[in-house]
């Protein structure tokens, strides 16, 4: 598959109030099965994901420009009543950053988990499905020093390697024929524009309820905490400069948000969506902000536009 995105988000720096960027993404996956014991099959998945990020800003936001390529191998095996599988997955990601002050590097990781439909009491009206995995990310980064446009030498992020816990969970609980709850949790090593990496913890919770056959309501909440690896300002290595001597760890950032929405079925092939979301960003450097977003959308289902049946020819 190939994905093209153009995004514009609010941002909290002085030079601009918009974060404009273009993402080019591509992916492929090959899957096959092998018989192992008594007719049960191990499924193997091999794939690649690529993402190229280009900030549409000449000076301030080009530090986000990068190309990430990730390869993975996954093996899964039936575990419980043909609906649940155990899996192990190995991942390798190479990250090429265009900003001189941010190192290139790679991340190797492995995780182990369970996925599928988990049997619970309640019959057909209740159910739990999804995947949960636990593992690790190990990151290594390149040279520690760089020279800026004025000929000054600086030390890049002094955290040039990291091994951290990796957690991924995506679960959907069907409480009944009208209510569904989704839970997503993530802890991983991610890109940071402040240094080599940041450790991100995030939880999303969404509940959806069918109020009437034509009307569906949604409420959602999320919380996120990011821990960048770098120190600021950068440490100069070719002489004394008072403005670069007092280095301190990059401060952590936390975000949280709530929201709600309604979806109304206008016709068999058209839905109307209305939603409101609030987000709050907290940081100890007085760069906190709030976002309010109101969305009105129309969804068209082309699969509902079926051609009329033709009468059989008379002979």
């Amino acid at each position: 598959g190939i994905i093209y995105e153009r995004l514009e988000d609010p941002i909290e720096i002085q030079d601009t109030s918009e974060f404009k960027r273009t993402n080019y993404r591509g992916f492929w996956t090959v899957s096959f099965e092998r018989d192992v014991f008594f007719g049960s099959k191990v499924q193997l998945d091999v794939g690649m994901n690529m993402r190229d990020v280009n900030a549409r800003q000449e000076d301030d936001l080009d530090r986000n420009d990068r190309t990430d390529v990730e390869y993975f191998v996954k093996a899964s095996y039936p575990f419980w009543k043909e609906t649940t599988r155990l899996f192990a997955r190995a991942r390798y990601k190479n990250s090429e950053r265009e900003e001189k002050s941010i190192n290139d590097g790679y991340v190797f990781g492995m995780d182990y988990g369970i996925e599928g439909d988990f049997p619970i009491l309640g019959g057909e009206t209740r159910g739990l499905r999804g995947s949960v995995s636990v593992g690790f990310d190990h990151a290594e980064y390149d040279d520690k020093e760089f020279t800026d446009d004025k000929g000054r030498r600086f030390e890049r992020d002094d955290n040039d390697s990291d091994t951290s816990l990796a957690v991924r969970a995506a679960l959907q609980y069907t409480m009944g024929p009208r209510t569904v709850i989704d839970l997503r949790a993530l802890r991983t090593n991610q890109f940071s524009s402040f240094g080599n990496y940041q450790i991100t913890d995030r939880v999303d919770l969404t509940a959806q309820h069918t109020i009437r056959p034509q009307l569906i309501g949604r409420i959602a909440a999320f919380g996120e905490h990011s821990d960048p690896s770098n120190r600021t300002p950068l440490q100069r290595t070719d002489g004394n400069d008072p403005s670069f001597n007092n280095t301190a760890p990059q401060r952590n950032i936390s975000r949280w948000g709530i929201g709600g929405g309604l979806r109304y079925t206008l016709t068999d092939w058209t839905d109307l969506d209305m939603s409101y979301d609030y987000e709050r960003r907290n940081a100890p450097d007085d760069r906190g902000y709030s976002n309010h977003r109101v969305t009105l959308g129309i969804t068209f289902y082309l699969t509902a536009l079926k051609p009329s049946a033709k009468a059989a020819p008379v002979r």
Side-chain angles (χ1 to χ4, degrees):
I2 297 174
I3 301 172
Y4 172 77
E5 297 176 319
R6 288 174 62 97
L7 303 171
E8 295 185 14
D9 295 325
I11 197 168
E12 73 286 0
I13 64 176
Q14 297 179 354
D15 299 307
T16 181
S17 60
E18 290 183 306
F19 182 15
K20 301 179 180 180
R21 62 200 185 278
T22 303
N23 291 338
Y24 301 90
R25 298 169 56 193
F27 63 91
W28 59 263
T29 304
V30 177
S31 302
F32 56 94
E33 294 181 340
R34 301 280 296 186
D35 288 327
V36 180
F37 300 110
F38 308 109
S40 63
K41 295 182 178 180
V42 170
Q43 179 174 316
L44 296 176
D45 301 299
V46 180
M48 182 271 287
N49 297 286
M50 183 276 293
R51 182 181 183 184
D52 183 70
V53 180
N54 293 284
R56 305 203 310 274
Q57 198 81 18
E58 294 183 359
D59 299 320
D60 303 305
L61 300 176
D62 55 1
R63 63 173 43 241
N64 295 279
D65 293 356
R66 65 192 185 275
T67 300
D68 296 329
V69 181
E70 182 179 63
Y71 303 91
F72 71 89
V73 178
K74 176 183 175 183
S76 60
Y77 189 78
F79 173 66
W80 184 271
K81 296 182 178 180
E82 301 295 329
T83 64
T84 309
R85 303 178 71 89
L86 296 175
F87 69 86
R89 177 171 49 204
R91 297 169 280 106
Y92 173 82
K93 181 172 69 174
N94 183 62
S95 184
E96 299 287 340
R97 286 86 179 272
E98 297 185 22
E99 169 64 29
K100 292 191 296 182
S101 64
I102 305 178
N103 284 324
D104 298 335
Y106 70 87
V107 178
F108 170 76
M110 292 196 68
D111 50 357
Y112 309 89
I114 186 171
E115 63 184 1
D117 296 323
F118 310 115
I120 60 175
L121 298 176
E124 296 181 356
T125 61
R126 297 179 60 190
L128 180 65
R129 60 182 301 181
S131 66
V132 179
S133 67
V134 177
F136 70 90
D137 287 324
H138 177 73
E140 295 282 350
Y141 299 92
D142 292 342
D143 299 333
K144 291 186 176 182
E145 292 189 347
F146 75 98
T147 302
D148 69 0
D149 296 335
K150 297 181 180 180
R152 300 175 299 180
R153 290 201 310 274
F154 294 90
E155 183 180 30
R156 287 187 174 100
D157 190 345
D158 53 356
N159 293 304
D160 58 353
S161 65
D162 175 73
T163 301
S164 58
L165 177 69
V167 178
R168 292 173 173 82
L171 296 173
Q172 183 179 83
Y173 175 49
T174 303
M175 295 183 62
R178 301 173 63 185
T179 306
V180 176
I181 297 177
D182 287 281
L183 172 66
R184 295 181 180 270
L186 175 71
R187 177 182 174 85
T188 187
N189 179 302
Q190 291 188 336
F191 169 81
S192 172
S193 60
F194 297 109
N196 288 338
Y197 64 90
Q198 66 183 26
I199 303 301
T200 298
D201 298 279
R202 182 181 174 107
V203 176
D204 292 83
L205 182 64
T206 304
Q208 179 175 292
H209 180 72
T210 301
I211 302 171
R212 292 166 37 190
Q214 292 181 311
L215 183 64
I216 298 175
R218 173 189 67 87
I219 57 174
F222 82 90
E224 180 182 280
H225 179 267
S226 298
D227 183 7
S229 63
N230 199 15
R231 296 175 178 270
T232 182
L234 295 174
Q235 179 67 50
R236 189 169 177 181
T237 60
D238 63 347
N240 293 325
D241 188 336
S243 64
F244 291 96
N245 287 341
N246 297 320
T247 60
Q250 181 70 42
R251 291 166 175 163
N252 298 349
I253 297 172
S254 62
R255 298 191 303 137
W256 62 271
I258 57 175
L262 294 171
R263 169 173 290 187
Y264 182 76
T265 301
L266 294 175
T267 67
D268 291 339
W269 50 275
T270 308
D271 285 347
L272 177 66
D273 293 281
M274 297 168 288
S275 66
Y276 166 77
D277 295 282
Y278 170 82
E279 175 189 343
R280 176 63 189 175
R281 177 188 186 274
N282 299 311
D285 57 359
D286 296 327
R287 289 190 174 184
Y289 65 81
S290 297
N291 276 343
H292 301 268
R293 181 174 63 243
V294 177
T295 304
L296 176 64
I298 299 177
T299 305
F300 298 97
Y301 300 95
L302 299 182
T303 54
L305 303 178
K306 299 179 180 179
S308 58
K310 295 181 179 180
V314 179
R315 296 183 179 179

